[in-house]
Amino acid sequence: MPWWIYVYVVLFGLVIGSFLNVCIHRIPQGQSIVRPRSRCPYCNHLIRAWENIPLVSYALLRGRCSQCHARISWVYPAVEALTAGVFYLLFRKYEFGAAFWLNALFFSLLIALVFIDLFHRILPDVLTKGGTLVGFLLVPLQSPEFFTKPATTWIGDMIAARYLDSLLGIALGGGLLWVVAKLYFMIKKIEGMGLGDVKMMMTIGAFLGWRFAWLTIFLGSLVGAFVGIAFIYLSGRDRLYELPFGTFLGVAAIAATLWGAPLIHWYFSLL
Ligand SMILES: [Zn+2]
């Protein structure tokens, strides 16, 4: 691939990241993600086009509103840079295969969920239930051969196998977290893991199938345990139920999509 195609992929990621910022701030409030145009939350100043360029505007404005000079959250450039970064990695893996477009959609969904859970401790149904449905319907596109190999007899078998894998992913991912949530509630009498986490895991299973759903739960728990131990150590409080588990699951699912096969291979080489 010529280098300038990667520049376009990064720019595409920045634009999608900018849209995800709108989703992250408006979906928890139940507002439309299309209208009205964005305003400064402090002085109500209408954000002009040149103030809305991903990363560039934040740098030009030095992270402040052009009117009232209130600080603009670091989340905006972080989401834009993160989206561009994971799109770049996805493109290196799949190039123009159908799997690039499908997983770019999947990552967009995950990044919205990661940040909404981090700041609001909720995982909106419109993203988790909607994501499960869309992931299941489009899952045949995960096959790298899609669109490139001539569609002869193999395609029917491949589609059936992908749908089965996706269903198993939904059942295993959602089911496992549901059991853990119930057990946690029985033992601790605290709602440690909500149904939102269960539904988010169903979405991940729908897109990735049962093997990587399993890997996502494993990696997410690992990251959660490390962060949790650090949290207890630094804060001196055992309040693990306050941690955003959906955030860890989202990060783990991105890692599983990009490096799932080598990660599983490496894990079994240790045994
Ligand atoms: Zn302002």
Side-chain angles (χ1 to χ4, degrees):
M1 281 289 161
W3 63 270
W4 52 268
I5 290 193
Y6 290 93
V7 176
Y8 277 108
V9 170
V10 167
L11 290 177
F12 175 58
L14 288 174
V15 171
I16 298 296
S18 181
F19 171 67
L20 292 178
N21 274 317
V22 177
C23 297
I24 290 163
H25 286 86
R26 291 190 186 178
I27 289 176
Q29 258 101 46
Q31 296 166 341
S32 161
I33 52 171
V34 199
R35 285 158 185 281
R37 283 179 54 200
S38 301
R39 289 176 178 274
C40 167
Y42 302 100
C43 69
N44 220 24
H45 156 70
L46 196 70
I47 310 291
R48 283 162 292 187
W50 72 267
E51 293 167 319
N52 218 352
I53 308 163
L55 292 187
V56 175
S57 295
Y58 188 85
L60 285 176
L61 293 163
R62 294 197 188 82
R64 290 180 184 277
C65 169
S66 66
Q67 290 297 303
C68 70
H69 304 288
R71 275 225 163 274
I72 303 168
S73 169
W74 59 269
V75 175
Y76 291 95
V79 166
E80 287 157 2
L82 179 70
T83 310
V86 293
F87 276 28
Y88 169 79
L89 292 172
L90 258 188
F91 190 77
R92 282 203 11 190
K93 185 173 164 108
Y94 293 114
E95 298 193 329
F96 283 115
F100 168 75
W101 302 100
L102 180 66
N103 288 305
L105 174 70
F106 180 43
F107 282 9
S108 303
L109 208 60
L110 289 174
I111 289 171
L113 287 167
V114 159
F115 283 90
I116 291 174
D117 197 31
L118 189 61
F119 294 119
H120 301 279
R121 294 299 188 277
I122 52 164
L123 295 161
D125 272 356
V126 62
L127 298 176
T128 55
K129 283 186 181 171
T132 305
L133 184 67
V134 171
F136 175 72
L137 290 175
L138 298 181
V139 78
L141 302 181
Q142 286 290 22
S143 297
E145 302 93 342
F146 214 89
F147 294 143
T148 55
K149 250 191 179 179
T152 47
T153 45
W154 72 276
I155 206 156
D157 298 342
M158 181 278 286
I159 288 174
R162 283 284 174 185
Y163 277 135
L164 179 65
D165 188 26
S166 180
L167 276 182
L168 288 173
I170 295 170
L172 178 90
L176 199 65
L177 281 210
W178 188 79
V179 169
V180 171
K182 287 287 155 201
L183 282 178
Y184 193 91
F185 186 70
M186 273 167 58
I187 296 163
K188 286 260 192 178
K189 304 282 175 227
I190 304 166
E191 202 73 61
M193 194 182 289
L195 279 181
D197 298 307
V198 174
K199 284 179 263 184
M200 179 174 175
M201 203 47 233
M202 290 169 74
T203 309
I204 295 168
F207 274 91
L208 297 185
W210 72 270
R211 291 176 193 82
F212 287 0
W214 178 255
L215 178 68
T216 299
I217 294 176
F218 178 75
L219 289 175
S221 310
L222 210 64
V223 176
F226 275 114
V227 175
I229 290 164
F231 180 78
I232 291 171
Y233 183 77
L234 292 173
S235 70
R237 298 175 305 186
D238 182 5
R239 292 164 78 172
L240 277 183
Y241 59 89
E242 287 183 359
L243 292 179
F245 193 55
T247 302
F248 304 139
L249 282 180
V251 172
I254 289 176
T257 309
L258 289 171
W259 306 294
L263 273 171
I264 290 176
H265 194 82
W266 173 75
Y267 180 74
F268 281 107
S269 73
L270 294 177
L271 299 178

